[in-house]
Amino acid sequence: MANIGIFVGTMYGNSLLVAEEAQAILEAQGHTAKVYEDPEAAQWEGNKGNYALVVTSTTGQGDLPDSIAPLFHYLRDTIGYQPELRYGVIALGDSTYSHFCGGGKKFDALLQEQGAQRIGEVLLIDASEDPEPESVSNPWVEQWASLLK
């Protein structure tokens, strides 16, 4: 079974709720999962060789929340190439804003640039259509977990 680090960027708690639900689903399927609510570089480094699941919301300007932005900058400015990384992204946003799910999209683009291997598609959750994001993320996590080795 797989070990998964769940790295959370949240502003109002929805991403944390999605991450905690994901952890429960992954563990129910026999995987090991740990949620990092305010993820730091050392936690990312400590997760090397395992899967990473990034669960992040987006500010109204399309940026990453303050809780995960330092990790993003560390990866961009320090890590560089990480082809051994296997990851997934759950992006929360609101389609009434012009930068819908911008935080998650930025994270995915960075990891793709760094040669990481995305498992499955990025999940984009629209708060305008799905006020309870876990109703969309839970089935996605169940399917994503089946892709892990």
Side-chain angles (χ1 to χ4, degrees):
M1 302 268 69
N3 292 317
I4 303 104
I6 305 173
F7 298 87
V8 181
T10 194
M11 291 172 50
Y12 303 113
N14 285 340
S15 294
L16 181 58
L17 173 64
V18 166
E20 290 169 343
E21 294 266 337
Q23 179 184 26
I25 290 166
L26 292 164
E27 289 176 346
Q29 292 192 15
H31 300 292
T32 302
K34 180 160 178 55
V35 173
Y36 299 102
E37 183 174 348
D38 292 303
E40 299 174 0
Q43 294 165 329
W44 188 272
E45 294 287 349
N47 194 59
K48 275 195 171 162
N50 298 322
Y51 290 87
L53 179 59
V54 176
V55 181
T56 187
S57 60
T58 302
T59 69
Q61 302 304 313
D63 293 324
L64 289 159
D66 290 342
S67 62
I68 201 168
L71 176 63
F72 177 87
H73 295 127
Y74 170 77
L75 296 176
R76 184 190 65 201
D77 300 338
T78 307
I79 293 290
Y81 195 55
Q82 48 183 342
E84 74 288 346
L85 176 65
R86 295 159 299 169
Y87 74 98
V89 175
I90 298 175
L92 287 81
D94 187 328
S95 63
T96 63
Y97 289 89
S98 58
H99 302 287
F100 174 60
C101 288
K105 289 176 182 177
K106 283 181 184 176
F107 227 104
D108 179 56
L110 174 66
L111 296 177
Q112 287 288 296
E113 260 177 46
Q114 295 180 333
Q117 177 187 352
R118 185 178 64 226
I119 306 299
E121 295 299 316
V122 174
L123 176 62
L124 305 177
I125 301 176
D126 186 353
S128 294
E129 293 184 17
D130 298 297
E132 295 179 0
E134 68 279 7
S135 68
V136 177
S137 64
N138 287 356
W140 183 93
V141 171
E142 288 177 18
Q143 192 272 332
W144 187 76
S146 71
L147 303 174
L148 307 181
K149 297 181 170 116

